[in-house]
Amino acid sequence: MNSEKKLKSHDLVLVGAGHANLLVIKRFITRPLSGVRLIVISPYSETTYSGMLPGVIARQYPNKKCQIDIANLVKRAEGWLIRAKLESIDPGKSSLILKRSPELGGGVLPDLVYDTCILNTGGGEPPLLPGYHSSVFSVKPTSRFLSSLDSIDNYVNRKRSLSIIGAGAAG
């Protein structure tokens, strides 16, 4: 009988590509953990670096300049990227229910079992509030906000007014 124990791999699942999860991925590039399998869940292969968003808004940088290539980082970390959104969590079974976005064919994926799961999805899209209409622009999701910059500029030039709600870096 073999006296050596076979080590089970530990599945570390990062849901989202917020700043903290990006730092974990970068750490795996420089110092991988033996026996730990890194799995990253994100609906996108790129994410916007919010620290550069003010420079993009001020037209100091092109939009593309503030994009982080998640897929490339995960590949360099020797991890797996699953392009999907988190639908729900079953903590009793330590599993995640994921769904592909429509542009990737939609549909619910098989449950993903994890040993450790870190949720870091960043700010979400705000709920529709009373009085919400076409002259209200939300920074989240940033991809939609960035594609709206020309519309925002046109609105401000016509109305000569702008109100900013929130005190994040982009504000």
Side-chain angles (χ1 to χ4, degrees):
M1 179 170 195
N2 188 352
S3 62
E4 291 182 28
K5 275 187 166 179
K6 184 176 180 190
L7 292 177
K8 176 193 174 290
S9 69
H10 183 95
D11 289 336
L12 171 60
V13 178
L14 308 179
V15 179
H19 287 99
N21 280 355
L22 288 172
L23 291 173
V24 172
I25 297 167
K26 286 183 177 184
R27 189 240 184 245
F28 267 79
I29 293 170
T30 58
R31 293 187 316 240
L33 293 172
S34 178
V36 177
R37 180 170 43 187
L38 178 66
I39 303 167
V40 179
I41 310 298
S42 174
Y44 312 106
S45 60
E46 290 186 332
T47 190
T48 302
Y49 174 55
S50 59
M52 287 183 71
L53 201 52
V56 173
I57 294 168
R59 309 294 183 162
Q60 295 171 332
Y61 314 114
N63 292 359
K64 193 68 180 157
K65 196 81 161 170
C66 69
Q67 297 303 305
I68 298 170
D69 188 342
I70 304 166
N72 183 48
L73 283 177
V74 173
K75 181 179 177 182
R76 289 175 45 211
E78 297 183 9
W80 296 6
L81 173 64
I82 300 174
R83 292 204 39 213
K85 289 183 86 168
L86 177 64
E87 284 290 301
S88 62
I89 300 172
D90 185 338
K93 293 181 181 176
S94 295
S95 68
L96 306 173
I97 292 82
L98 307 172
K99 185 175 183 181
R100 292 256 190 221
S101 58
E103 65 269 12
L104 295 175
V108 176
L109 299 174
D111 291 5
L112 176 65
V113 176
Y114 60 85
D115 294 297
T116 303
C117 179
I118 300 173
L119 301 175
N120 187 252
T121 56
E125 191 171 348
L128 292 178
L129 303 171
Y132 194 92
H133 59 77
S134 63
S135 66
V136 175
F137 302 94
S138 174
V139 173
K140 296 291 182 169
T142 54
S143 58
R144 187 173 64 203
F145 174 74
L146 290 171
S147 67
S148 298
L149 285 178
D150 288 338
S151 297
I152 295 168
D153 285 346
N154 289 336
Y155 177 82
V156 171
N157 286 332
R158 278 192 330 274
K159 299 293 183 179
R160 298 284 183 212
S161 70
L162 177 67
S163 298
I164 299 172
I165 301 170

